[in-house]
Amino acid sequence: MNPDTLLQDHDALLLVDVQNDFCPGGSLAVPKGDTIIPLLNDWIVSARRNGNPIIASRDWHPVEHVSFDMRGGPWPVHCVQDTKGAEFHPDLDIDNRVVRVSKGTHFDQDAYSAFDSTGLGTYLRRANIQRLWVGGLAQDVCVLATVLDGMKEGFEMHLIRAATRPVDEAQGEDALNRMKDAGAILD
Ligand SMILES: [Zn+2]
């Protein structure tokens, strides 16, 4: 699978939450989460060469966010704004031209999808984007929510199958089926 031959005009690359806390050693690590980074970097290089926009979403929580277990939420403390855990993984080849999308920034509201309360759909439409190639973490949580929302927003959503990893293998399989059922294309 060669991104150079797949990327066309009106395509964008969307990297979901490739952050330290979601990689091995992080507070909410996805098993083998960092193994997708070399493949994502191949896509980044191709997108850059072809002039396709590159968007990187990040979980970007205030302290004592509603999703944290200390507040009765489902997750341990993770991706607190301006901490090491919230940084993009250092091996991810992103530069200043990559568009950052921060989500989950409200104290009292969580967001799994990169489209949730971020305005990303509007931005992409204004840039005449029709198709999105998606990879990142986690396949069964934020990638799933992002792909489903992207379909609802009217984009053709392509999941780069080898460039995502689940928290849980069985839920990961279920997530793939849900994406496929919603009309996303698994590449
Ligand atoms: Zn979060």
Side-chain angles (χ1 to χ4, degrees), residues 22 28 59-61 65 67-68 75 78-79 103 110-112:
F22 296 129
L28 191 40
D59 230 12
W60 195 246
H61 297 315
H65 185 246
S67 75
F68 298 163
W75 309 112
H78 65 280
C79 297
K103 62 188 178 62
D110 202 8
Y112 290 168

Side-chain angles (χ1 to χ4, degrees), residues 66-77:
V66 67
S67 75
F68 298 163
D69 43 18
M70 61 159 82
R71 291 257 338 256
W75 309 112
V77 173

Side-chain angles (χ1 to χ4, degrees), residues 14-24 26 28-37 40 56-59 75 78-79 85 87-89 92 103 111-114 134-147 159-168 179:
L14 175 53
L15 315 167
V16 178
D17 299 8
V18 187
Q19 292 165 273
N20 288 326
D21 269 344
F22 296 129
C23 290
L28 191 40
V30 176
K32 300 183 190 161
D34 55 343
T35 60
I36 65 173
I37 293 173
L40 289 176
S57 73
R58 59 184 181 183
D59 230 12
W75 309 112
H78 65 280
C79 297
E87 288 175 13
F88 293 112
H89 191 286
L92 191 68
K103 62 188 178 62
Y112 290 168
S113 158
V134 183
L137 303 169
Q139 180 178 321
D140 45 346
V141 189
C142 292
V143 170
L144 170 64
T146 298
V147 168
L159 178 72
I160 308 166
R161 180 70 191 82
T164 182
R165 292 284 310 156
V167 178
D168 175 272
M179 290 185 247

Side-chain angles (χ1 to χ4, degrees), residues 38-49:
L39 179 58
L40 289 176
N41 285 342
D42 289 344
W43 277 83
I44 290 169
V45 169
S46 288
R48 214 175 263 151
R49 192 161 43 216

